[in-house]
Amino acid sequence: MSKFKTTFYTIETGKIPGLKRPWRLALLADLHNKSYGPDNRLLLEEIRKNHPDGILIAGDLIISDRKKQEVHKDAAYQLLIALAAEYPVYLGNGNHEHRMREFPDSFAGEYDSYIRMLRSCGIHTLVNGHLTQQIGGALVTIYGFELDFSYYKRFTRKPFAVTCLTDALGTPDPGHYNILIAHNPVYFPQYAKWGADLTVSGHLHGGIIRIPGIGGLITPQAKLFPKYDAGYFEEQGRSLIVSRGLGSHTVNLRIFNPAELIFIDITNRQEDITK
Ligand SMILES: [Fe+2]
C-alpha cells in the first residue's frame, strides 16, 4: 500500500456569494503515521500540486495503542509541521488522539506534547472548538467535534442526540457557512440537523474491503455494510464527505479500496453567480 488516489469533490453553496473562484480545501484523515516516501514527500507533492487554500484534518493521523502503551507519531507530526508551514491547517481529533487525551497515564502524557506541537506551529486545533473567518466576504465557521470514546465501542451503537453537539460546540449561526470536522460519520443525520452545511469525516477506512456495486464491508465497530462508508452523501440539504483514509492499523488490509487524498472545492451556486 504505497500509493494513494486523489479524489475531487465540488460543493455548491449560496452562503458565500462573494467567492470569485473555488475555495479549495484538502482533506486528510486516518494517516495512522504512514509516510508516502521519505518525509511524506509524495503526499506533500500531491497537495502542493493542487494548490489548496487550507487543510482539513479529520483525525487519526497517529496510532495509539493502549495495551502496548505506545504512540506511533513521528511521520504524522512531521507532516503536520510541514503542512502548517505552508497552509492554514484546521485539525480535529480522531479516536486515536482522543484515546491519548482520555488515558494520559497509558501514554506518558503524550497528548500534552501533541497539543504543544500543534500550537507551536500555528495549527488551528479544533477539539470541541471552532474558528470563524471571512471567506469571499462571508463568514465561514469551522468546527471540530471530538466524539467520546464510549461511542467507539465494538458491536454497539450508542444513541446520539443533537444536544451532544450543542453541549460540545454551541449552536451554529445559520447565516455562516458551517463546516464540521467529525471523525466518525455514523451520526451524519444528527450533524446535519445540528446545522453543519458540510461535514468531513474518516474513521471507516472505506470499509476495509470494498465490494463493487455494494460498498464498504465493515466498520471499526464491526458493523457490516455501513451506510456512510466513503464518498459523498447528502441529507436534509447538507453534505457529508467521508475519506477512505490514507493509512491503516491493526488490520493492514485494503481490497478494492485505495487510500485517498481528497480536495473539496467550495463554489458559488451557479444561479447565484448569474444573478
Ligand atoms: Fe478512527
Side-chain angles (χ1 to χ4, degrees):
M1 195 183 68
S2 58
K3 288 185 181 166
F4 58 89
K5 63 175 273 195
T6 306
T7 311
F8 295 87
Y9 295 98
T10 298
I11 305 272
E12 294 187 336
T13 178
K15 284 189 171 180
I16 319 179
L19 274 181
K20 300 291 182 227
R21 64 169 180 86
W23 181 42
R24 173 166 285 186
L25 296 167
L27 170 61
L28 283 71
D30 302 283
L31 181 73
H32 290 301
N33 203 45
K34 186 174 173 63
S35 189
Y36 289 92
D39 305 329
N40 257 313
R41 195 179 63 214
L42 300 174
L43 187 56
L44 282 163
E45 280 173 3
E46 183 67 10
I47 292 169
R48 288 184 188 120
K49 193 180 91 185
N50 287 288
H51 304 291
D53 298 297
I55 312 283
L56 301 172
I57 303 285
D60 278 7
L61 289 204
I62 60 154
I63 298 171
S64 65
D65 185 323
R66 200 174 165 211
K67 271 192 195 146
K68 293 182 183 165
Q69 304 202 340
E70 287 175 357
V71 179
H72 302 266
K73 60 183 172 52
D74 292 352
Y77 284 17
Q78 199 173 31
L79 177 67
L80 286 168
I81 291 164
L83 290 170
E86 297 181 48
Y87 307 100
V89 178
Y90 310 95
L91 176 142
N93 276 354
N95 49 307
H96 281 252
E97 290 87 8
H98 177 61
R99 191 182 291 131
M100 281 200 303
R101 181 154 94 110
E102 200 63 27
F103 304 104
D105 294 345
S106 299
F107 299 107
E110 177 58 32
Y111 188 76
D112 290 343
S113 305
Y114 168 65
I115 292 295
R116 269 198 305 276
M117 180 278 292
L118 297 174
R119 292 197 176 136
S120 71
C121 59
I123 289 177
H124 302 293
T125 306
L126 305 174
V127 180
N128 289 337
H130 69 274
L131 176 83
T132 298
Q133 59 188 134
Q134 279 229 352
I135 303 289
L139 291 172
V140 172
T141 301
I142 304 176
Y143 291 86
F145 176 60
E146 190 183 53
L147 190 66
D148 187 76
F149 76 97
S150 58
Y151 290 89
Y152 285 105
K153 290 202 171 120
R154 288 213 176 108
F155 308 109
T156 61
R157 183 165 162 188
K158 191 173 161 184
F160 181 87
V162 173
T163 50
C164 297
L165 291 162
T166 46
D167 288 349
L169 300 171
T171 302
D173 186 327
H176 295 196
Y177 186 74
N178 295 300
I179 298 173
L180 177 66
I181 302 170
H183 180 65
N184 190 339
V186 70
Y187 300 113
F188 175 47
Q190 289 90 331
Y191 302 153
K193 195 169 178 191
W194 171 74
D197 296 293
L198 167 65
T199 301
V200 293
S201 300
H203 185 54
L204 271 64
H205 300 187
I208 314 255
I209 297 166
R210 294 192 68 76
I211 300 170
I214 294 177
L217 177 67
I218 192 164
T219 74
Q221 272 75 57
K223 183 181 186 306
L224 293 172
F225 303 111
K227 184 173 181 184
Y228 308 114
D229 55 347
Y232 180 81
F233 302 87
E234 196 173 302
E235 287 180 20
Q236 306 166 48
R238 320 266 186 183
S239 301
L240 166 69
I241 292 174
V242 183
S243 166
R244 295 179 188 183
L246 282 155
S248 62
H249 67 94
T250 315
V251 182
N252 290 306
L253 180 74
R254 285 178 177 271
I255 296 179
F256 302 126
N257 180 29
E260 74 174 346
L261 169 67
I262 288 176
F263 291 93
I264 305 167
D265 282 350
I266 298 173
T267 67
N268 214 330
R269 193 170 286 140
Q270 203 55 39
E271 60 260 34
D272 297 311
I273 294 171
T274 51
K275 264 180 200 166

